[in-house]
Amino acid sequence: MASSKRTGKGKTRSGQQGKRAAPRRRAAQREPQRSWRRRLAGWALRGVILALAIGLPLVVAWAWYLDERVTDRFGGALFTLPATVYAAPDEIYVGQSLQIDQLVASLERLNYVASSSVEETGTYERRGNQVAFHRRGFAFPDGKQPGRRVVARIVDGRVVELDDPDGNDVGIIRLEPRSIGTLYPNRTEDRVLLSIDEVRENAPLLLQTLLAVEDRAFYDHGGVVPTAILRAFLSNLFTDQVQGGSTITQQLAKNLFLTHERTYRRKFAEMIMALEMEWHYSKDKILEAYLNEVYLGQDGNRAIHGFGLAASFYFGRPVSELAPEQIALLVAMVKGANYYNPRRNPERALARRNTVIDVMVDLGLVDQTRAADWQARPLGVLERAGSRARHPAFVDLVRRQLVEQYDAEDLHTRGLNIFTTLRPRVQAALEDSTENLDEIEAGRGLEKGTLETAGVVASVSTGEIEAMIGGRDTHFDGYDRALDARRQIGSLIKPAIYLTALSRPAEYNLITELADKPVAIEQKGSATWKPENYSGTFHGPTPLIEALAHSRNVPSVRLGMAVGLDSVADTLERLGAPRPSPFYPSMLLGSMTMSPFQVAQMYQTLSADGFVTPLRAIRSVVDQQGKELSRYSLDVRRAVDRESLYLLQYGLQTVVREGTSTRLNQVFPAELNLAGKTGTTNDGRDAWFAGFTGSRVGVVWVGRDDDRPANLTGSTAALPLWAATFERLDIQPRDTTPPRGVRLMPVGPDRQVVLPERCAGERIPFIAGHVPEAAGTCSGEPAGNESTGDGGFFDWFR
């Protein structure tokens, strides 16, 4: 038993030892795990240290790089500004021929608003035969003109009084010019720059509303609000709602330098750049940049940036004239310009605008009563986008004339102001004339939309282009037919033939007999050419003036061949038209091609008494500071002598009085002395009319782009558009006083003989010293065969 007890005691001690050894064994077993974790922690610590050692300099370098981008952008020109193109300003003066409706139309083209009061600029009130308006201020090349209230009284289509509110005579006043286009680079980004001081003074509600909606603590934070970022992060993480949490400074950093991708890297860069902008620049500078950079819509391929351009694009008005609800709409669109587009999504835009007005109430910017009134108003945006590319054909001409003097970079980045010659009233009349094409197509059995057109109207005295269209769709910015469509000109060439002949007074005058009989002309490399008259008949001996007036082909060809092709080519060149080379006989009937612009240059010389004045679209170029960089002065030279041209002008006046353009007599009084020429090409493919008054010359072409037969004539297709244009204009009669060196002599009724000066009848001009011998009697009989008493009282003194 003793043995047994010892054994038990031994087992007991052994068990106790086993129990003490178990933790040691477990600890020994855990030791490799602890060692591995310690090693892992060590590696992690070393990784963090290494990452900091490597990453921190990289972050610093990245921040440095971002800072360089910020300072480079803000240190130079923050925005590249396209050149802005302006029309000529409408002028109003006492004695002017002007209808009240025309004046109102001029104001409404500038988006003046009818009002019962004209206290604010950009408003007008019509009362009976008076129109009161408050002109906007504008910086013209010759100085800044302030806003001004004016009352115009118009009686029987003429301005009889032009006074200010105190009754002082104004005499003459200029409206501000209309912006008609911009010249911008491929980036197609556009804006109208605003200064923070300008907005603070003239549109303080815009600043207050913008900050209330987008960044209430803008003037208190340092560019980033961590709590807002954390709140937005948690919302985006745990809910379906997307929140930005970005300050105005962060938004500006994103818009100026970064993409719109939703990544943490982009957000981190945005925060760094926002802090850097706040470090370097004042709050006002940052806010000013935001006002001009924020994206507010799209006009085709042109991005609308900034509140300045958006005010014009949506409302046709400067920021200073915006109503409170209009300001609220623009601020509402900051959240998503395309999503809240008031033209495409008006209900959505209205709801968002009214939400912004509610915010204005919450912050005490407006009381509830006025806010309710604003919320009840319609959006009020222009039905048609306030695009500044209003007259693309004309702006295309401006661009082409500018590149002769300015680099493309200057036109796209320096914010130049281009003051042009375009007259809004004339342009509107020319554009509206295209409505006649529907009737012309119907009359010719053509499908609607088949015909195209182009037209140019210029000043006789200065060569300034007052209007131009490049197609039926006058707002389409594409193929410019006025400049680029080379079409056969038909009979428009004939004045050059007749002028060449009349410049030889010893050989030709207006009553010189021309043969109108069949003729065959050999042409090198082609079959014998046998021209015919449009009517298909021959008229025998024809006075030169009648051959011109009725546009007879055969006598015109005979005359051209007689004076010589080279001589006719010389005349064309002197008139400003391109010289045909080689010059084939068939070109005497206008188979040569010219653009409407080139034809306008030729006929401008014919209308300007033989002085060539290169057609121009630009008056001056001014930089952003108001300094005039270029003034486009007149470049005038005499091309043909005044006397022979006077004879030709008389012939072109006869074209209207009794020839191919007599339809104009149904529209215009004879005392205007209109002159012009029709042109028609084979199979009626091209129809032309070129005509001039005392102050303007106009050219219209009508035809098909595919050059297929259209059965058109100049008198039935192009002339109606010319007449529709000029009918709406203030037309000055042509001065038909003959120059020295020209004598007016009576001629017989058949225009074949000169009568004694005492005789009655049509008096035709002749160059002095080259007047044919007069007949002996007023009946046209030769001297010696006169009957007594035929000459009346003067027979006693023969």
Side-chain angles (χ1 to χ4, degrees), residues 64-250:
W64 183 279
Y65 162 72
L66 296 177
D67 186 69
E68 287 292 311
R69 290 186 63 190
V70 169
T71 54
D72 283 349
R73 182 72 181 268
F74 274 81
L78 189 57
F79 303 109
T80 58
L81 293 178
T84 301
V85 183
Y86 291 97
D90 280 331
E91 295 180 341
I92 305 162
Y93 53 87
V94 174
Q96 180 181 17
S97 175
L98 183 68
Q99 301 291 336
I100 286 185
D101 288 344
Q102 290 178 313
L103 175 54
V104 171
S106 293
L107 295 171
E108 291 182 345
R109 271 194 297 268
L110 294 168
N111 294 301
Y112 278 59
V113 176
S115 173
S116 58
S117 168
V118 292
E119 292 298 319
E120 297 181 359
T121 58
T123 57
Y124 78 91
E125 181 184 10
R126 180 174 179 172
R127 301 188 300 263
N129 65 347
Q130 293 184 344
V131 178
F133 59 92
H134 198 156
R135 181 195 65 185
R136 300 184 180 108
F138 190 83
F140 283 94
D142 57 0
K144 188 171 184 178
Q145 105 179 343
R148 189 174 189 181
R149 286 185 292 169
V150 177
V151 179
R153 190 163 72 91
I154 299 176
V155 178
D156 296 330
R158 195 163 297 277
V159 180
V160 296
E161 289 181 7
L162 197 62
D163 302 327
D164 65 16
D166 298 325
N168 299 315
D169 182 23
V170 174
I172 185 171
I173 192 169
R174 285 185 300 186
L175 299 177
E176 70 276 14
R178 187 187 193 196
S179 170
I180 59 173
T182 53
L183 309 178
Y184 45 82
N186 292 333
R187 192 172 163 205
T188 62
E189 189 175 288
D190 201 3
R191 56 178 52 80
V192 172
L193 285 187
L194 300 173
S195 72
I196 189 70
D197 292 335
E198 174 189 359
V199 178
R200 187 169 282 133
E201 178 182 356
N202 299 318
L205 186 62
L206 172 59
L207 289 181
Q208 296 166 351
T209 306
L210 177 65
L211 296 178
V213 174
E214 292 297 320
D215 193 349
R216 299 181 188 180
F218 174 73
Y219 280 99
D220 299 322
H221 62 64
V224 174
V225 179
T227 54
I229 294 174
L230 179 61
R231 183 174 60 252
F233 173 77
L234 293 175
S235 176
N236 296 342
L237 186 65
F238 295 110
T239 72
D240 293 333
Q241 296 181 349
V242 177
Q243 293 189 11
S246 295
T247 64
I248 277 180
T249 315
Q250 287 176 260

Side-chain angles (χ1 to χ4, degrees), residues 14-86:
S14 176
Q16 291 174 349
Q17 292 174 355
K19 289 179 180 179
R20 287 195 295 269
R24 288 196 296 270
R25 287 195 299 272
R26 286 194 296 272
Q29 292 172 355
R30 288 196 297 269
E31 186 61 28
Q33 297 177 357
R34 288 173 179 167
S35 175
W36 179 81
R37 289 171 182 161
R38 281 196 300 270
R39 287 196 299 272
L40 184 61
W43 292 339
L45 180 60
R46 292 187 189 99
V48 170
I49 294 172
L50 182 61
L52 290 174
I54 297 175
L56 187 59
L58 290 177
V59 171
V60 171
W62 186 41
W64 183 279
Y65 162 72
L66 296 177
D67 186 69
E68 287 292 311
R69 290 186 63 190
V70 169
T71 54
D72 283 349
R73 182 72 181 268
F74 274 81
L78 189 57
F79 303 109
T80 58
L81 293 178
T84 301
V85 183
Y86 291 97

Side-chain angles (χ1 to χ4, degrees), residues 439-451:
E439 183 179 346
I440 294 169
E441 288 167 338
R444 292 292 180 273
L446 298 173
E447 184 179 349
K448 186 175 181 179
T450 298
L451 296 179

